[in-house]
Every structure is written in structure tokens, then in C-alpha cells.
């Protein structure tokens, strides 16, 4: 994929990984639709692009984001989903509210976005989900988060096979722990002591290299080493 002038919808653009993706994609000349929940954080993002503040836990949020990205009549060349929340603590004590929030944000938002975007994708375009390394092996104290991410990976796998019919490539990115502050914004529980993580810029660079290289079909955790 040629990134110069590519029409790219970036969800979670204000986050640690999302903002690194935004900066690097814009530097490569992409035409961005920057999507996140909070308008004030989108306004503060020092990256040129259309802003779309929506709650992606509802299908209407994804529909509005896709409408913003296609407002000038163009199809979408790439959709990157860097939206997510995390929760810590034993599954036995996790509240139903936290469980609902995990699955609405991590799973349903991605499914709604995929549904809304697919009919508007350029043949040869790419969609990227971000399940993370935990979808390869779940961990105690993160069982529900890990389960939501396993659902992301499973959905991406099946959806990717369907999307091939319309010549859309679908990639699941599974980066290891990354220093974005996500764990300090947990919706429940306290984070364990993680070893030093990757930089958001390094993770974004690996994802963008995969976006530009049509031969890449998957981004396992080993691709970020
Ligand atoms: N950090 C890690 O160690 C790591 C490792 C592997 C995978 N991942 C995954 O990578 C993705 C990005 O992680 P991150 O660390 O960059 O997280 P982050 O810094 O907390 O960013 C999360 C982003 O999601 C947006 N968001 C949250 N809920 C939303 C909603 N309901 N509607 C619309 N946007 C919403 C936030 O927007 P607002 O700013 O408006 O709230 C923000 O832009 C997540 O899926 C995460 O699980 C992270």
C-alpha cells in the first residue's frame, strides 16, 4: 500500500499507540480521520486530520466515523483500531460493570467498526486490529482482559477470511507490553509489575511497515521483538 495520500481511519488516535500511529502516518503523507471518544483530547492532538469524537461502543459511533472518512466520496484505504481498556484483578472478583466495559470497548467496538467500514473499503485495502500478546497466552490477574483480546483475535481471523472476498486484507497486531500508560488507566484493579515495555513509536513503526507491505498477513508478538 502506498501511504502517501492514503485515506486512513485511525480509531483510538489519542491513545499512546494511536497517537504514535497518527504522527508517523501523517509524516508518511496519509490523509487521516482521527477518531476517539473525547473531543478535547482529539483537539489537542498535534496531527493534521479530520476529527471525529464518537463513542465506539455503539454501532452509531462507527457509522459516524466511517461517514467522516468517506465524506469527500473516497473509499477507505486502511482502518486501524487502537481502541481499548484494561482491567486487573482475579476474574472471580471482577464486577459485571467492568466485564461489560471490557467487552463493549475491546470486542464490540471493533466488530461494529469492521461492519461499518467493510462496504467502504478500497479493494486492496487493509484493516488492523490490536489484540496484543495476551491473546497468545492469557495470564492470571488479567483473565477477563485476556479473554476479550482472544475474542478480538478470533473475530479478526474469521472476519479476515470473509473480507478476502472483497480483496481486503485484515491483520491482527499482537504487541507486547508498551509504555503508553494504559495500565495506569485500568477500569478496575491494580496493575502487576510489568517489565519495561516497548515504546509506542516502535510498535507504531512495526504496524505501519506491515501496512505498507501487502505480503504481511499477521503481526504476532514475535514481529515486535
Ligand atoms: N499498552 C500496551 O501495553 C498494549 C499492549 C498490547 C495491546 N494493546 C492494545 O493496543 C490498543 C491501544 O492501547 P494503548 O495502550 O495505546 O491505550 P490508550 O493509550 O489507553 O488509548 C486508548 C484509546 O482508545 C480510545 N477509546 C477508549 N474507549 C473508547 C470508546 N468507547 N470510543 C472511542 N474511543 C475510545 C481512547 O480515546 P479517549 O482518549 O478519547 O478516551 C484512546 O484514544 C488497545 O486495544 C490495547 O489493548 C496495548
Amino acid at each position: 500500500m502506498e501511504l502517501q495520500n492514503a485515506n486512513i481511519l485511525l480509531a483510538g488516535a489519542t491513545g499512546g499507540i494511536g497517537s504514535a500511529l497518527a504522527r508517523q502516518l501523517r509524516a508518511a503523507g496519509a490523509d487521516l480521520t482521527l477518531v476517539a471518544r473525547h473531543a478535547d483530547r482529539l483537539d489537542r492532538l498535534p496531527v493534521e486530520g479530520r476529527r471525529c469524537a464518537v463513542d465506539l461502543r455503539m454501532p452509531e459511533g462507527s457509522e459516524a466515523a466511517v461517514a467522516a472518512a468517506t465524506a469527500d466520496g473516497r473509499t477507505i484505504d486502511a482502518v486501524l483500531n487502537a481502541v481499548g481498556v484494561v482491567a486487573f484483578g482475579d476474574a472471580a472478583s471482577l464486577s459485571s460493570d467492568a466485564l461489560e466495559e471490557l467487552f463493549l470497548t475491546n470486542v464490540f467496538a471493533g466488530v461494529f467498526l469492521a461492519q461499518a467500514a467493510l462496504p467502504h473499503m478500497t479493494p486492496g485495502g487493509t484493516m488492523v486490529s490490536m489484540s496484543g500478546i495476551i491473546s497468545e497466552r492469557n495470564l492470571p490477574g488479567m483473565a477477563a482482559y485476556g479473554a476479550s483480546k482472544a475474542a478480538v483475535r478470533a473475530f479478526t481471523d474469521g472476519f479476515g477470511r470473509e473480507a478476502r472476498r472483497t480483496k481486503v486484507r485484515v491483520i491482527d497486531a499482537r504487541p507486547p507490553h508498551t509504555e503508553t500508560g494504559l495500565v495506569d488507566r485500568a477500569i478496575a484493579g491494580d496493575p502487576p509489575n510489568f517489565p519495561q515495555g516497548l515504546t509506542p513509536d516502535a510498535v507504531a513503526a512495526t504496524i505501519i511497515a506491515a501496512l505498507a507491505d501487502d505480503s504481511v498477513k499477521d503481526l504476532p508478538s514475535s514481529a515486535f521483538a
Side-chain angles (χ1 to χ4, degrees):
M1 176 187 292
E2 176 57 58
L3 294 176
Q4 181 74 37
N5 296 322
N7 187 22
I8 297 184
L9 190 167
L10 173 59
T14 53
I17 295 173
S19 58
L21 284 166
R23 283 192 303 275
Q24 293 183 30
L25 286 168
R26 185 60 205 142
D31 184 6
L32 297 174
T33 300
L34 303 162
V35 182
R37 188 170 29 173
H38 296 104
D40 54 335
R41 294 190 67 193
L42 273 173
D43 286 344
R44 287 199 299 273
L45 190 67
V47 177
E48 191 186 334
R50 287 175 291 276
R51 264 71 176 153
C52 184
V54 287
D55 187 344
L56 290 170
R57 293 172 299 180
M58 323 288 170
E60 296 78 12
S62 288
E63 286 156 18
V66 168
T70 56
D72 59 4
R74 294 176 67 188
T75 55
I76 303 173
D77 299 309
V79 173
L80 289 85
N81 180 13
V83 168
V85 290
V86 69
F88 299 107
D90 288 349
S93 57
L94 208 59
S95 71
S96 57
D97 281 353
L99 272 175
E100 185 175 295
E101 178 65 14
L102 275 177
F103 278 79
L104 277 175
T105 307
N106 294 348
V107 185
F108 279 71
V111 173
F112 293 147
L113 189 58
Q115 288 179 318
L118 187 64
H120 301 276
M121 293 297 295
T122 310
T126 301
M127 299 169 90
V128 181
S129 63
M130 232 163 279
S131 70
I133 191 172
I134 198 160
S135 72
E136 296 175 355
R137 181 168 179 236
N138 209 345
L139 294 170
M142 300 176 70
Y145 173 71
S148 75
K149 290 302 192 168
V152 171
R153 185 175 170 194
F155 174 76
T156 303
D157 184 31
F159 175 71
R161 292 167 201 271
E162 293 172 6
R164 274 187 219 154
R165 293 183 207 132
T166 45
K167 302 204 179 333
V168 172
R169 176 175 60 136
V170 182
I171 300 173
D172 181 46
R174 301 190 286 283
H177 177 58
T178 307
E179 299 296 337
T180 64
L182 170 71
V183 299
D184 302 316
R185 291 186 286 278
I187 59 169
D190 296 315
N193 284 327
F194 285 100
Q196 182 68 27
L198 299 178
T199 67
D201 273 329
V203 169
T206 300
I207 292 170
I208 291 171
L211 200 58
D213 179 352
D214 291 335
S215 70
V216 177
K217 307 294 180 209
D218 192 30
L219 273 179
S221 57
S222 55
F224 293 86

